[in-house]
Amino acid sequence: MAARIIDGKAIAEAVIAEVKEKAQQLLETRGVRPGLAVIMVGDNPASAVYVRNKAKKCEEMGFLSQVHRLDGSASQDEVAALIERLNRDAHLHGILLQMPVPKHLDGAALQEAILPAKDVDGFHPVNMGRLALGLSAFVPCTPLGVRELLIRSGVDPSGKITVIVGRSNIVGRPLALLLMRKERGGDATVCVCHSRTPNLGNLTRQADILVAAIGSPQFIKGGMIKPGAVVIDVGINRVEDSTKKSGYRLVGDVDYEAASEIAEAITPVPGGVGPMTIAMLMHNTVAAAWAQSS
Ligand code: GUN
């Protein structure tokens, strides 16, 4: 039987509706409209699409939305000066530096320059550290979206063998920290695998919940999945496709056709984790606005 499809688009819409309500309450009770500034350095085409979508969603939500596009040759000091200015702007509750930044820049130092209270991406060491310690923190949007997808599709990670393939600072690492937390949607038994893991299939085949966040198209084959597992595909990879007007199509990190014959439930690409990332960014932005206006 084909796997149940976890509809990220529908779940994201439900999250967005709740976030809109919280934003409305904030406006009515405190007269505050959430504000988000997005900084993009250079012209990475995938980043340009993400930034456009983030700004569009902000506008749809009625938030104050700013996009700061800097030339790919911008210096560390120029970007840092912009961040300092945005840190001081009381109308902006969230600041996001779109990653990756050009190689000549120290992206980690720039992320650290963002005030932790405005770090709606959850990438600042203070937020990452608080996440690791089980304290309240801004949690990176994609991991937060993955957990929300699990909860809202009836999958409780508690105790489950959860194998995450990929250890990036954006997804794998914070997701492991989040799913380990002693709380609702947490308490999972987490194993993080990566490019140096030997016999990867032996580990992934044990997973009740398998999360693919490697950034390699269709890397997870059907034979690497335990029958009845829940498969969450975080990958968004462009592969050439001459039948498409754009010349490419999007595929995940999982061989979807094969996986859907074996898994109990699976997220599609597109329409799975992707829409959740933006929904959780809106969630974090409203949370930041509430916290800064109290
Ligand atoms: N690049 C890929 N994903 C993300 C994200 O969630 N936030 C930022 N800032 N950059 C990214």
PDB file of all heavy atoms in Angstrom, residues 9-49:
ATOM      1  N   LYS A   9       1.750  21.532   2.947  1.00  0.00           N
ATOM      2  CA  LYS A   9       1.090  22.780   2.539  1.00  0.00           C
ATOM      3  C   LYS A   9      -0.128  23.035   3.423  1.00  0.00           C
ATOM      4  O   LYS A   9      -0.311  24.141   3.935  1.00  0.00           O
ATOM      5  CB  LYS A   9       0.678  22.657   1.057  1.00  0.00           C
ATOM      6  CG  LYS A   9       0.889  23.913   0.301  1.00  0.00           C
ATOM      7  CD  LYS A   9       0.720  23.723  -1.189  1.00  0.00           C
ATOM      8  CE  LYS A   9       0.032  24.950  -1.735  1.00  0.00           C
ATOM      9  NZ  LYS A   9      -1.188  24.678  -2.490  1.00  0.00           N
ATOM     10  N   ALA A  10      -0.928  21.991   3.619  1.00  0.00           N
ATOM     11  CA  ALA A  10      -2.141  22.131   4.437  1.00  0.00           C
ATOM     12  C   ALA A  10      -1.770  22.403   5.898  1.00  0.00           C
ATOM     13  O   ALA A  10      -2.388  23.255   6.560  1.00  0.00           O
ATOM     14  CB  ALA A  10      -2.990  20.866   4.328  1.00  0.00           C
ATOM     15  N   ILE A  11      -0.755  21.707   6.396  1.00  0.00           N
ATOM     16  CA  ILE A  11      -0.364  21.892   7.799  1.00  0.00           C
ATOM     17  C   ILE A  11       0.215  23.300   7.989  1.00  0.00           C
ATOM     18  O   ILE A  11      -0.073  23.978   8.971  1.00  0.00           O
ATOM     19  CB  ILE A  11       0.610  20.778   8.260  1.00  0.00           C
ATOM     20  CG1 ILE A  11      -0.109  19.416   8.217  1.00  0.00           C
ATOM     21  CG2 ILE A  11       1.156  21.053   9.664  1.00  0.00           C
ATOM     22  CD1 ILE A  11       0.758  18.203   8.519  1.00  0.00           C
ATOM     23  N   ALA A  12       0.985  23.751   7.010  1.00  0.00           N
ATOM     24  CA  ALA A  12       1.549  25.107   7.089  1.00  0.00           C
ATOM     25  C   ALA A  12       0.431  26.154   7.108  1.00  0.00           C
ATOM     26  O   ALA A  12       0.508  27.144   7.836  1.00  0.00           O
ATOM     27  CB  ALA A  12       2.490  25.358   5.922  1.00  0.00           C
ATOM     28  N   GLU A  13      -0.614  25.912   6.324  1.00  0.00           N
ATOM     29  CA  GLU A  13      -1.741  26.864   6.312  1.00  0.00           C
ATOM     30  C   GLU A  13      -2.415  26.930   7.679  1.00  0.00           C
ATOM     31  O   GLU A  13      -2.821  28.002   8.132  1.00  0.00           O
ATOM     32  CB  GLU A  13      -2.754  26.488   5.223  1.00  0.00           C
ATOM     33  CG  GLU A  13      -2.330  27.024   3.864  1.00  0.00           C
ATOM     34  CD  GLU A  13      -3.140  26.457   2.697  1.00  0.00           C
ATOM     35  OE1 GLU A  13      -4.243  25.911   2.938  1.00  0.00           O
ATOM     36  OE2 GLU A  13      -2.649  26.557   1.558  1.00  0.00           O
ATOM     37  N   ALA A  14      -2.522  25.777   8.336  1.00  0.00           N
ATOM     38  CA  ALA A  14      -3.132  25.747   9.681  1.00  0.00           C
ATOM     39  C   ALA A  14      -2.255  26.535  10.663  1.00  0.00           C
ATOM     40  O   ALA A  14      -2.767  27.314  11.480  1.00  0.00           O
ATOM     41  CB  ALA A  14      -3.309  24.303  10.137  1.00  0.00           C
ATOM     42  N   VAL A  15      -0.943  26.358  10.558  1.00  0.00           N
ATOM     43  CA  VAL A  15      -0.011  27.091  11.439  1.00  0.00           C
ATOM     44  C   VAL A  15      -0.138  28.592  11.173  1.00  0.00           C
ATOM     45  O   VAL A  15      -0.237  29.400  12.091  1.00  0.00           O
ATOM     46  CB  VAL A  15       1.454  26.614  11.222  1.00  0.00           C
ATOM     47  CG1 VAL A  15       2.438  27.515  11.956  1.00  0.00           C
ATOM     48  CG2 VAL A  15       1.617  25.168  11.671  1.00  0.00           C
ATOM     49  N   ILE A  16      -0.144  28.941   9.893  1.00  0.00           N
ATOM     50  CA  ILE A  16      -0.237  30.351   9.503  1.00  0.00           C
ATOM     51  C   ILE A  16      -1.509  30.998  10.059  1.00  0.00           C
ATOM     52  O   ILE A  16      -1.479  32.131  10.556  1.00  0.00           O
ATOM     53  CB  ILE A  16      -0.172  30.487   7.948  1.00  0.00           C
ATOM     54  CG1 ILE A  16       1.249  30.235   7.447  1.00  0.00           C
ATOM     55  CG2 ILE A  16      -0.706  31.813   7.461  1.00  0.00           C
ATOM     56  CD1 ILE A  16       2.234  31.353   7.708  1.00  0.00           C
ATOM     57  N   ALA A  17      -2.619  30.265  10.009  1.00  0.00           N
ATOM     58  CA  ALA A  17      -3.884  30.809  10.522  1.00  0.00           C
ATOM     59  C   ALA A  17      -3.750  31.114  12.017  1.00  0.00           C
ATOM     60  O   ALA A  17      -4.220  32.158  12.488  1.00  0.00           O
ATOM     61  CB  ALA A  17      -5.021  29.828  10.261  1.00  0.00           C
ATOM     62  N   GLU A  18      -3.083  30.230  12.753  1.00  0.00           N
ATOM     63  CA  GLU A  18      -2.896  30.452  14.198  1.00  0.00           C
ATOM     64  C   GLU A  18      -1.958  31.643  14.456  1.00  0.00           C
ATOM     65  O   GLU A  18      -2.182  32.436  15.365  1.00  0.00           O
ATOM     66  CB  GLU A  18      -2.312  29.187  14.854  1.00  0.00           C
ATOM     67  CG  GLU A  18      -3.291  28.025  14.890  1.00  0.00           C
ATOM     68  CD  GLU A  18      -2.639  26.717  15.300  1.00  0.00           C
ATOM     69  OE1 GLU A  18      -1.534  26.742  15.893  1.00  0.00           O
ATOM     70  OE2 GLU A  18      -3.225  25.664  15.004  1.00  0.00           O
ATOM     71  N   VAL A  19      -0.920  31.725  13.648  1.00  0.00           N
ATOM     72  CA  VAL A  19       0.054  32.815  13.816  1.00  0.00           C
ATOM     73  C   VAL A  19      -0.614  34.164  13.527  1.00  0.00           C
ATOM     74  O   VAL A  19      -0.387  35.155  14.230  1.00  0.00           O
ATOM     75  CB  VAL A  19       1.291  32.590  12.908  1.00  0.00           C
ATOM     76  CG1 VAL A  19       2.209  33.801  12.917  1.00  0.00           C
ATOM     77  CG2 VAL A  19       2.057  31.354  13.344  1.00  0.00           C
ATOM     78  N   LYS A  20      -1.467  34.170  12.496  1.00  0.00           N
ATOM     79  CA  LYS A  20      -2.201  35.411  12.146  1.00  0.00           C
ATOM     80  C   LYS A  20      -3.039  35.871  13.322  1.00  0.00           C
ATOM     81  O   LYS A  20      -3.114  37.071  13.608  1.00  0.00           O
ATOM     82  CB  LYS A  20      -3.134  35.136  10.958  1.00  0.00           C
ATOM     83  CG  LYS A  20      -2.560  35.550   9.636  1.00  0.00           C
ATOM     84  CD  LYS A  20      -3.610  35.447   8.535  1.00  0.00           C
ATOM     85  CE  LYS A  20      -2.925  35.652   7.196  1.00  0.00           C
ATOM     86  NZ  LYS A  20      -3.644  35.014   6.105  1.00  0.00           N
ATOM     87  N   GLU A  21      -3.664  34.915  13.990  1.00  0.00           N
ATOM     88  CA  GLU A  21      -4.505  35.248  15.136  1.00  0.00           C
ATOM     89  C   GLU A  21      -3.662  35.879  16.251  1.00  0.00           C
ATOM     90  O   GLU A  21      -4.060  36.869  16.854  1.00  0.00           O
ATOM     91  CB  GLU A  21      -5.165  33.973  15.636  1.00  0.00           C
ATOM     92  CG  GLU A  21      -6.567  34.190  16.145  1.00  0.00           C
ATOM     93  CD  GLU A  21      -7.320  32.879  16.172  1.00  0.00           C
ATOM     94  OE1 GLU A  21      -7.811  32.454  15.094  1.00  0.00           O
ATOM     95  OE2 GLU A  21      -7.360  32.266  17.252  1.00  0.00           O
ATOM     96  N   LYS A  22      -2.482  35.296  16.494  1.00  0.00           N
ATOM     97  CA  LYS A  22      -1.601  35.841  17.547  1.00  0.00           C
ATOM     98  C   LYS A  22      -1.110  37.233  17.174  1.00  0.00           C
ATOM     99  O   LYS A  22      -0.950  38.101  18.035  1.00  0.00           O
ATOM    100  CB  LYS A  22      -0.409  34.906  17.779  1.00  0.00           C
ATOM    101  CG  LYS A  22      -0.801  33.651  18.532  1.00  0.00           C
ATOM    102  CD  LYS A  22       0.421  32.833  18.914  1.00  0.00           C
ATOM    103  CE  LYS A  22      -0.009  31.469  19.446  1.00  0.00           C
ATOM    104  NZ  LYS A  22       0.713  30.354  18.842  1.00  0.00           N
ATOM    105  N   ALA A  23      -0.877  37.454  15.880  1.00  0.00           N
ATOM    106  CA  ALA A  23      -0.433  38.779  15.420  1.00  0.00           C
ATOM    107  C   ALA A  23      -1.560  39.792  15.594  1.00  0.00           C
ATOM    108  O   ALA A  23      -1.323  40.938  15.988  1.00  0.00           O
ATOM    109  CB  ALA A  23       0.003  38.700  13.963  1.00  0.00           C
ATOM    110  N   GLN A  24      -2.777  39.346  15.321  1.00  0.00           N
ATOM    111  CA  GLN A  24      -3.945  40.220  15.462  1.00  0.00           C
ATOM    112  C   GLN A  24      -4.118  40.643  16.923  1.00  0.00           C
ATOM    113  O   GLN A  24      -4.356  41.819  17.216  1.00  0.00           O
ATOM    114  CB  GLN A  24      -5.190  39.474  14.935  1.00  0.00           C
ATOM    115  CG  GLN A  24      -6.438  40.334  14.822  1.00  0.00           C
ATOM    116  CD  GLN A  24      -6.247  41.525  13.880  1.00  0.00           C
ATOM    117  OE1 GLN A  24      -5.474  41.446  12.919  1.00  0.00           O
ATOM    118  NE2 GLN A  24      -6.901  42.638  14.182  1.00  0.00           N
ATOM    119  N   GLN A  25      -3.970  39.671  17.832  1.00  0.00           N
ATOM    120  CA  GLN A  25      -4.073  39.959  19.280  1.00  0.00           C
ATOM    121  C   GLN A  25      -3.014  40.976  19.705  1.00  0.00           C
ATOM    122  O   GLN A  25      -3.274  41.861  20.514  1.00  0.00           O
ATOM    123  CB  GLN A  25      -3.840  38.686  20.097  1.00  0.00           C
ATOM    124  CG  GLN A  25      -5.058  37.784  20.223  1.00  0.00           C
ATOM    125  CD  GLN A  25      -4.668  36.439  20.840  1.00  0.00           C
ATOM    126  OE1 GLN A  25      -3.582  36.287  21.407  1.00  0.00           O
ATOM    127  NE2 GLN A  25      -5.552  35.467  20.707  1.00  0.00           N
ATOM    128  N   LEU A  26      -1.827  40.817  19.147  1.00  0.00           N
ATOM    129  CA  LEU A  26      -0.727  41.725  19.492  1.00  0.00           C
ATOM    130  C   LEU A  26      -1.056  43.148  19.050  1.00  0.00           C
ATOM    131  O   LEU A  26      -0.820  44.121  19.780  1.00  0.00           O
ATOM    132  CB  LEU A  26       0.569  41.233  18.831  1.00  0.00           C
ATOM    133  CG  LEU A  26       1.826  42.048  19.097  1.00  0.00           C
ATOM    134  CD1 LEU A  26       2.195  42.060  20.568  1.00  0.00           C
ATOM    135  CD2 LEU A  26       3.010  41.490  18.279  1.00  0.00           C
ATOM    136  N   LEU A  27      -1.624  43.237  17.864  1.00  0.00           N
ATOM    137  CA  LEU A  27      -2.000  44.549  17.329  1.00  0.00           C
ATOM    138  C   LEU A  27      -3.112  45.166  18.177  1.00  0.00           C
ATOM    139  O   LEU A  27      -3.061  46.347  18.529  1.00  0.00           O
ATOM    140  CB  LEU A  27      -2.446  44.382  15.865  1.00  0.00           C
ATOM    141  CG  LEU A  27      -2.673  45.661  15.082  1.00  0.00           C
ATOM    142  CD1 LEU A  27      -1.391  46.464  14.967  1.00  0.00           C
ATOM    143  CD2 LEU A  27      -3.197  45.348  13.674  1.00  0.00           C
ATOM    144  N   GLU A  28      -4.094  44.329  18.537  1.00  0.00           N
ATOM    145  CA  GLU A  28      -5.245  44.862  19.281  1.00  0.00           C
ATOM    146  C   GLU A  28      -4.892  45.234  20.718  1.00  0.00           C
ATOM    147  O   GLU A  28      -5.378  46.218  21.243  1.00  0.00           O
ATOM    148  CB  GLU A  28      -6.386  43.830  19.270  1.00  0.00           C
ATOM    149  CG  GLU A  28      -7.125  43.821  17.943  1.00  0.00           C
ATOM    150  CD  GLU A  28      -8.050  42.627  17.784  1.00  0.00           C
ATOM    151  OE1 GLU A  28      -8.298  41.916  18.782  1.00  0.00           O
ATOM    152  OE2 GLU A  28      -8.512  42.414  16.646  1.00  0.00           O
ATOM    153  N   THR A  29      -4.035  44.429  21.359  1.00  0.00           N
ATOM    154  CA  THR A  29      -3.772  44.674  22.778  1.00  0.00           C
ATOM    155  C   THR A  29      -2.608  45.636  23.000  1.00  0.00           C
ATOM    156  O   THR A  29      -2.588  46.352  23.989  1.00  0.00           O
ATOM    157  CB  THR A  29      -3.475  43.357  23.531  1.00  0.00           C
ATOM    158  OG1 THR A  29      -2.358  42.726  22.911  1.00  0.00           O
ATOM    159  CG2 THR A  29      -4.672  42.429  23.532  1.00  0.00           C
ATOM    160  N   ARG A  30      -1.648  45.643  22.092  1.00  0.00           N
ATOM    161  CA  ARG A  30      -0.464  46.483  22.329  1.00  0.00           C
ATOM    162  C   ARG A  30      -0.158  47.452  21.189  1.00  0.00           C
ATOM    163  O   ARG A  30       0.841  48.177  21.242  1.00  0.00           O
ATOM    164  CB  ARG A  30       0.765  45.598  22.573  1.00  0.00           C
ATOM    165  CG  ARG A  30       0.591  44.719  23.804  1.00  0.00           C
ATOM    166  CD  ARG A  30       1.807  43.926  24.129  1.00  0.00           C
ATOM    167  NE  ARG A  30       1.544  43.041  25.257  1.00  0.00           N
ATOM    168  CZ  ARG A  30       2.341  42.077  25.668  1.00  0.00           C
ATOM    169  NH1 ARG A  30       3.480  41.851  25.033  1.00  0.00           N
ATOM    170  NH2 ARG A  30       2.034  41.325  26.700  1.00  0.00           N
ATOM    171  N   GLY A  31      -0.960  47.386  20.145  1.00  0.00           N
ATOM    172  CA  GLY A  31      -0.745  48.279  19.006  1.00  0.00           C
ATOM    173  C   GLY A  31       0.562  48.009  18.266  1.00  0.00           C
ATOM    174  O   GLY A  31       1.128  48.907  17.644  1.00  0.00           O
ATOM    175  N   VAL A  32       1.031  46.754  18.339  1.00  0.00           N
ATOM    176  CA  VAL A  32       2.326  46.425  17.721  1.00  0.00           C
ATOM    177  C   VAL A  32       2.126  45.517  16.501  1.00  0.00           C
ATOM    178  O   VAL A  32       1.394  44.523  16.558  1.00  0.00           O
ATOM    179  CB  VAL A  32       3.262  45.720  18.746  1.00  0.00           C
ATOM    180  CG1 VAL A  32       4.525  45.190  18.065  1.00  0.00           C
ATOM    181  CG2 VAL A  32       3.631  46.671  19.870  1.00  0.00           C
ATOM    182  N   ARG A  33       2.788  45.875  15.422  1.00  0.00           N
ATOM    183  CA  ARG A  33       2.782  45.073  14.194  1.00  0.00           C
ATOM    184  C   ARG A  33       4.153  44.404  14.076  1.00  0.00           C
ATOM    185  O   ARG A  33       5.177  45.105  14.155  1.00  0.00           O
ATOM    186  CB  ARG A  33       2.574  46.018  13.010  1.00  0.00           C
ATOM    187  CG  ARG A  33       2.165  45.363  11.729  1.00  0.00           C
ATOM    188  CD  ARG A  33       1.449  46.379  10.838  1.00  0.00           C
ATOM    189  NE  ARG A  33       2.362  47.397  10.325  1.00  0.00           N
ATOM    190  CZ  ARG A  33       2.801  47.413   9.062  1.00  0.00           C
ATOM    191  NH1 ARG A  33       2.437  46.482   8.208  1.00  0.00           N
ATOM    192  NH2 ARG A  33       3.602  48.367   8.649  1.00  0.00           N
ATOM    193  N   PRO A  34       4.211  43.079  13.939  1.00  0.00           N
ATOM    194  CA  PRO A  34       5.517  42.422  13.843  1.00  0.00           C
ATOM    195  C   PRO A  34       6.320  42.941  12.637  1.00  0.00           C
ATOM    196  O   PRO A  34       5.739  43.243  11.591  1.00  0.00           O
ATOM    197  CB  PRO A  34       5.168  40.941  13.652  1.00  0.00           C
ATOM    198  CG  PRO A  34       3.776  40.796  14.168  1.00  0.00           C
ATOM    199  CD  PRO A  34       3.094  42.106  13.887  1.00  0.00           C
ATOM    200  N   GLY A  35       7.621  43.037  12.799  1.00  0.00           N
ATOM    201  CA  GLY A  35       8.489  43.494  11.715  1.00  0.00           C
ATOM    202  C   GLY A  35       9.661  42.546  11.507  1.00  0.00           C
ATOM    203  O   GLY A  35      10.287  42.118  12.480  1.00  0.00           O
ATOM    204  N   LEU A  36       9.922  42.203  10.258  1.00  0.00           N
ATOM    205  CA  LEU A  36      11.030  41.286   9.932  1.00  0.00           C
ATOM    206  C   LEU A  36      11.914  41.897   8.856  1.00  0.00           C
ATOM    207  O   LEU A  36      11.417  42.356   7.826  1.00  0.00           O
ATOM    208  CB  LEU A  36      10.475  39.941   9.435  1.00  0.00           C
ATOM    209  CG  LEU A  36      11.515  38.915   8.949  1.00  0.00           C
ATOM    210  CD1 LEU A  36      12.346  38.384  10.123  1.00  0.00           C
ATOM    211  CD2 LEU A  36      10.850  37.743   8.224  1.00  0.00           C
ATOM    212  N   ALA A  37      13.213  41.896   9.088  1.00  0.00           N
ATOM    213  CA  ALA A  37      14.182  42.334   8.077  1.00  0.00           C
ATOM    214  C   ALA A  37      14.975  41.135   7.587  1.00  0.00           C
ATOM    215  O   ALA A  37      15.473  40.339   8.399  1.00  0.00           O
ATOM    216  CB  ALA A  37      15.129  43.362   8.676  1.00  0.00           C
ATOM    217  N   VAL A  38      15.062  40.988   6.273  1.00  0.00           N
ATOM    218  CA  VAL A  38      15.833  39.904   5.679  1.00  0.00           C
ATOM    219  C   VAL A  38      17.020  40.518   4.949  1.00  0.00           C
ATOM    220  O   VAL A  38      16.856  41.477   4.187  1.00  0.00           O
ATOM    221  CB  VAL A  38      14.966  39.081   4.696  1.00  0.00           C
ATOM    222  CG1 VAL A  38      15.789  38.003   4.012  1.00  0.00           C
ATOM    223  CG2 VAL A  38      13.763  38.470   5.407  1.00  0.00           C
ATOM    224  N   ILE A  39      18.205  39.977   5.214  1.00  0.00           N
ATOM    225  CA  ILE A  39      19.414  40.475   4.542  1.00  0.00           C
ATOM    226  C   ILE A  39      19.900  39.393   3.585  1.00  0.00           C
ATOM    227  O   ILE A  39      20.049  38.226   3.980  1.00  0.00           O
ATOM    228  CB  ILE A  39      20.536  40.766   5.565  1.00  0.00           C
ATOM    229  CG1 ILE A  39      20.050  41.729   6.644  1.00  0.00           C
ATOM    230  CG2 ILE A  39      21.785  41.306   4.864  1.00  0.00           C
ATOM    231  CD1 ILE A  39      21.012  41.838   7.832  1.00  0.00           C
ATOM    232  N   MET A  40      20.132  39.800   2.352  1.00  0.00           N
ATOM    233  CA  MET A  40      20.695  38.849   1.396  1.00  0.00           C
ATOM    234  C   MET A  40      21.944  39.472   0.774  1.00  0.00           C
ATOM    235  O   MET A  40      21.892  40.599   0.278  1.00  0.00           O
ATOM    236  CB  MET A  40      19.666  38.532   0.319  1.00  0.00           C
ATOM    237  CG  MET A  40      20.237  37.625  -0.736  1.00  0.00           C
ATOM    238  SD  MET A  40      18.992  37.008  -1.845  1.00  0.00           S
ATOM    239  CE  MET A  40      20.064  36.546  -3.199  1.00  0.00           C
ATOM    240  N   VAL A  41      23.031  38.755   0.828  1.00  0.00           N
ATOM    241  CA  VAL A  41      24.281  39.254   0.242  1.00  0.00           C
ATOM    242  C   VAL A  41      24.595  38.411  -0.992  1.00  0.00           C
ATOM    243  O   VAL A  41      24.705  37.184  -0.889  1.00  0.00           O
ATOM    244  CB  VAL A  41      25.451  39.177   1.244  1.00  0.00           C
ATOM    245  CG1 VAL A  41      26.667  39.917   0.688  1.00  0.00           C
ATOM    246  CG2 VAL A  41      25.063  39.736   2.609  1.00  0.00           C
ATOM    247  N   GLY A  42      24.743  39.077  -2.137  1.00  0.00           N
ATOM    248  CA  GLY A  42      25.051  38.350  -3.370  1.00  0.00           C
ATOM    249  C   GLY A  42      23.778  37.914  -4.080  1.00  0.00           C
ATOM    250  O   GLY A  42      22.683  38.355  -3.725  1.00  0.00           O
ATOM    251  N   ASP A  43      23.937  37.036  -5.086  1.00  0.00           N
ATOM    252  CA  ASP A  43      22.771  36.709  -5.914  1.00  0.00           C
ATOM    253  C   ASP A  43      22.598  35.207  -6.130  1.00  0.00           C
ATOM    254  O   ASP A  43      22.249  34.766  -7.218  1.00  0.00           O
ATOM    255  CB  ASP A  43      22.844  37.460  -7.250  1.00  0.00           C
ATOM    256  CG  ASP A  43      24.173  37.209  -7.939  1.00  0.00           C
ATOM    257  OD1 ASP A  43      24.938  36.334  -7.443  1.00  0.00           O
ATOM    258  OD2 ASP A  43      24.464  37.865  -8.958  1.00  0.00           O
ATOM    259  N   ASN A  44      22.815  34.436  -5.069  1.00  0.00           N
ATOM    260  CA  ASN A  44      22.548  32.998  -5.134  1.00  0.00           C
ATOM    261  C   ASN A  44      21.082  32.795  -5.571  1.00  0.00           C
ATOM    262  O   ASN A  44      20.167  33.287  -4.922  1.00  0.00           O
ATOM    263  CB  ASN A  44      22.797  32.405  -3.730  1.00  0.00           C
ATOM    264  CG  ASN A  44      22.518  30.913  -3.672  1.00  0.00           C
ATOM    265  OD1 ASN A  44      21.456  30.460  -4.088  1.00  0.00           O
ATOM    266  ND2 ASN A  44      23.469  30.169  -3.152  1.00  0.00           N
ATOM    267  N   PRO A  45      20.854  32.093  -6.715  1.00  0.00           N
ATOM    268  CA  PRO A  45      19.479  32.037  -7.246  1.00  0.00           C
ATOM    269  C   PRO A  45      18.491  31.340  -6.305  1.00  0.00           C
ATOM    270  O   PRO A  45      17.337  31.771  -6.204  1.00  0.00           O
ATOM    271  CB  PRO A  45      19.630  31.259  -8.561  1.00  0.00           C
ATOM    272  CG  PRO A  45      21.040  30.816  -8.668  1.00  0.00           C
ATOM    273  CD  PRO A  45      21.852  31.413  -7.563  1.00  0.00           C
ATOM    274  N   ALA A  46      18.918  30.286  -5.613  1.00  0.00           N
ATOM    275  CA  ALA A  46      17.996  29.603  -4.690  1.00  0.00           C
ATOM    276  C   ALA A  46      17.641  30.543  -3.540  1.00  0.00           C
ATOM    277  O   ALA A  46      16.475  30.671  -3.153  1.00  0.00           O
ATOM    278  CB  ALA A  46      18.614  28.312  -4.164  1.00  0.00           C
ATOM    279  N   SER A  47      18.669  31.245  -3.008  1.00  0.00           N
ATOM    280  CA  SER A  47      18.423  32.193  -1.909  1.00  0.00           C
ATOM    281  C   SER A  47      17.460  33.287  -2.345  1.00  0.00           C
ATOM    282  O   SER A  47      16.595  33.707  -1.565  1.00  0.00           O
ATOM    283  CB  SER A  47      19.728  32.840  -1.450  1.00  0.00           C
ATOM    284  OG  SER A  47      20.551  31.905  -0.813  1.00  0.00           O
ATOM    285  N   ALA A  48      17.608  33.742  -3.596  1.00  0.00           N
ATOM    286  CA  ALA A  48      16.737  34.819  -4.084  1.00  0.00           C
ATOM    287  C   ALA A  48      15.278  34.380  -4.028  1.00  0.00           C
ATOM    288  O   ALA A  48      14.398  35.153  -3.640  1.00  0.00           O
ATOM    289  CB  ALA A  48      17.138  35.202  -5.509  1.00  0.00           C
ATOM    290  N   VAL A  49      15.021  33.118  -4.377  1.00  0.00           N
ATOM    291  CA  VAL A  49      13.646  32.596  -4.328  1.00  0.00           C
ATOM    292  C   VAL A  49      13.167  32.537  -2.881  1.00  0.00           C
ATOM    293  O   VAL A  49      12.059  32.990  -2.551  1.00  0.00           O
ATOM    294  CB  VAL A  49      13.562  31.179  -4.971  1.00  0.00           C
ATOM    295  CG1 VAL A  49      12.167  30.588  -4.807  1.00  0.00           C
ATOM    296  CG2 VAL A  49      13.947  31.237  -6.451  1.00  0.00           C
TER     297      VAL A  49
END
